[in-house]
């Protein structure tokens, strides 16, 4: 089967275009194949190139060497069937929650009544139906991130790129949003690349966890998380297999972050 995502010998150098500018080798020799529907987490020290890899997959920047492919085709520009979520929700402040969820559907020319129906259904799944007419400034951080999830679900992207999406949430809210997101993902598993600083989060959510080295970022280890789904996050945190997996990955990671 052709992988949903494939990086073949990918390296990327920033800058160096100007004689006074030192080129920066951000990522080096990345080899990675991700089957469709896999949930993969990526952890690694700050500046090791995690965001750079997501940006290459989103078609925002090209590799200096090697090739970045989706479903066997070289990525050569931005694509509509990718959802990109960041720590900041990126909601339009002048649109209500519902109209934020409708945004991608508007771009696709979905008729108004259908857009509205779909947006309300998704807000319902994220327990936000009572906030459909609220503006982002009237919502908590956690609610805003849930609206951002609903907005991404609305366009049902084939690939989710998530760059520390829950990083700005407090610990309690984070647990709730993680559980909700996991449940929704499990209904229709799409390929997810989830970058996080939180190792526990990485293991709880993913089928597989990559550890990257300090810059230049290379893949240091690639571990399968052998824990069945559906997973109940608040119970799983005390599960011995979970703890053992997290510990093993921590051993790989700790050498890179000192
Ligand atoms: N546009 C850019 N120009 C020059 N250097 C960059 C640019 N974007 C990122 N970098 C450098 O590339 C490295 C990897 O960055 P990034 O992918 O953002 O790391 P991470 O997301 O893992 O923290 C960092 O050293 C960063 O300073
Ligand atoms: Mg980053």
């Amino acid at each position: 089967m052709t992988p949903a995502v494939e990086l073949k010998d990918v390296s990327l150098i920033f800058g160096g275009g100007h004689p006074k500018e030192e080129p920066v080798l951000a990522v080096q020799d990345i080899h990675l194949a991700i089957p469709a529907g896999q949930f993969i987490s990526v952890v690694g020290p700050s500046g090791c190139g995690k965001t750079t890899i997501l940006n290459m997959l989103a078609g925002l920047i090209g590799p200096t060497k090697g090739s970045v492919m989706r479903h066997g085709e070289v990525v050569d520009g931005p694509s509509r069937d990718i959802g990109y979520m960041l720590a900041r929700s990126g909601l339009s402040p002048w649109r209500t929650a519902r109209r934020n969820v409708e945004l991608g559907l508007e771009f696709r020319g979905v008729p108004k009544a259908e857009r509205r129906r779909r947006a309300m259904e998704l807000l319902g799944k994220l327990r936000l139906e009572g906030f459909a007419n609220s503006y982002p400034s009237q919502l908590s951080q956690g609610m805003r991130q849930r609206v951002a999830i609903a907005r991404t679900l609305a366009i049902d992207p084939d690939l989710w790129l998530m760059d520390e999406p829950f990083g700005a949430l407090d610990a309690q809210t984070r647990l709730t949003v993680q559980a909700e997101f996991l449940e929704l993902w499990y209904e229709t598993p799409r390929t997810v690349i989830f970058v996080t600083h939180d190792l526990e989060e990485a293991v709880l959510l993913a089928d597989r966890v990559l550890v990257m080295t300090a810059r230049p970022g290379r893949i240091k280890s690639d571990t399968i998380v052998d824990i069945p789904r559906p997973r109940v996050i608040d119970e799983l945190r005390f599960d011995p297999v979970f703890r053992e997996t997290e510990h093993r990955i921590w051993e790989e990671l700790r050498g890179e972050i000192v």
Side-chain angles (χ1 to χ4, degrees):
M1 275 261 288
T2 314
V5 165
E6 196 170 12
L7 285 87
K8 288 185 180 168
D9 263 323
V10 166
S11 299
L12 188 135
I13 299 170
F14 281 112
H18 188 275
K20 281 188 183 154
E21 189 185 34
E22 231 10 80
V24 174
L25 177 57
V27 296
Q28 187 176 29
D29 300 334
I30 305 278
H31 242 306
L32 174 65
I34 308 176
Q38 191 170 62
F39 195 131
I40 184 165
S41 291
V42 181
V43 294
S46 266
C48 75
K50 302 179 294 295
T51 298
T52 300
I53 290 176
L54 297 188
N55 285 339
M56 286 193 283
L57 281 165
L60 302 175
I61 45 175
T64 309
K65 182 174 116 342
S67 46
V68 177
M69 334 255 289
R70 288 185 56 217
H71 300 290
E73 291 186 15
V74 173
V75 173
D76 58 4
S79 155
R80 274 187 164 195
D81 59 353
I82 288 181
Y84 206 147
M85 268 192 72
L86 311 172
R88 298 262 154 247
S89 64
L91 300 179
S92 301
W94 54 87
R95 282 178 168 252
T96 62
R98 175 175 59 76
R99 294 204 54 237
N100 266 287
V101 177
E102 287 183 30
L103 190 63
L105 301 173
E106 272 180 48
F107 284 139
R108 283 164 172 74
V110 176
K112 191 169 175 179
E114 170 60 16
R115 265 181 359 229
R116 180 172 294 208
R117 192 196 59 75
R118 182 97 183 104
M120 289 308 293
E121 179 190 319
L122 289 167
L123 287 170
K125 283 192 180 190
L126 287 139
R127 298 180 298 114
L128 287 169
E129 55 277 78
F131 296 88
N133 295 317
S134 302
Y135 288 88
S137 61
Q138 300 170 305
L139 302 173
S140 70
Q141 186 90 259
M143 290 163 122
R144 288 204 286 268
Q145 233 26 11
R146 277 150 56 208
V147 174
I149 292 172
R151 182 184 55 182
T152 309
L153 281 170
I155 57 169
D156 190 22
D158 169 72
L159 174 63
W160 289 61
L161 302 176
M162 304 184 78
D163 201 353
E164 305 188 39
F166 309 143
L169 306 181
D170 65 81
Q172 298 306 315
T173 308
R174 193 171 181 141
L175 282 177
T176 317
V177 178
Q178 283 168 349
E180 282 173 354
F181 176 65
L182 203 53
E183 217 170 284
L184 290 167
W185 173 82
Y186 191 66
E187 275 181 24
T188 332
R190 302 289 184 219
T191 314
V192 176
I193 307 181
F194 191 101
V195 169
T196 176
H197 269 111
D198 179 340
L199 187 51
E200 182 177 89
E201 175 175 74
V203 180
L204 284 171
L205 300 181
D207 298 312
R208 180 179 170 197
V209 180
L210 297 184
V211 174
M212 292 182 64
T213 65
R215 204 184 72 210
R218 282 167 284 112
I219 294 173
K220 181 172 187 183
S221 67
D222 185 342
T223 307
I224 297 289
V225 181
D226 194 11
I227 299 174
R229 296 189 191 269
R231 297 180 185 168
V232 182
I233 285 194
D234 37 354
E235 289 171 15
L236 198 55
R237 294 163 79 206
F238 307 101
D239 180 278
V241 178
F242 165 72
R243 283 289 158 212
E244 191 275 326
T245 309
E246 186 188 19
H247 186 256
R248 199 149 31 92
I249 298 171
W250 169 241
E251 289 299 327
E252 297 288 342
L253 182 59
R254 72 191 300 180
E256 301 301 321
I257 57 179
V258 284

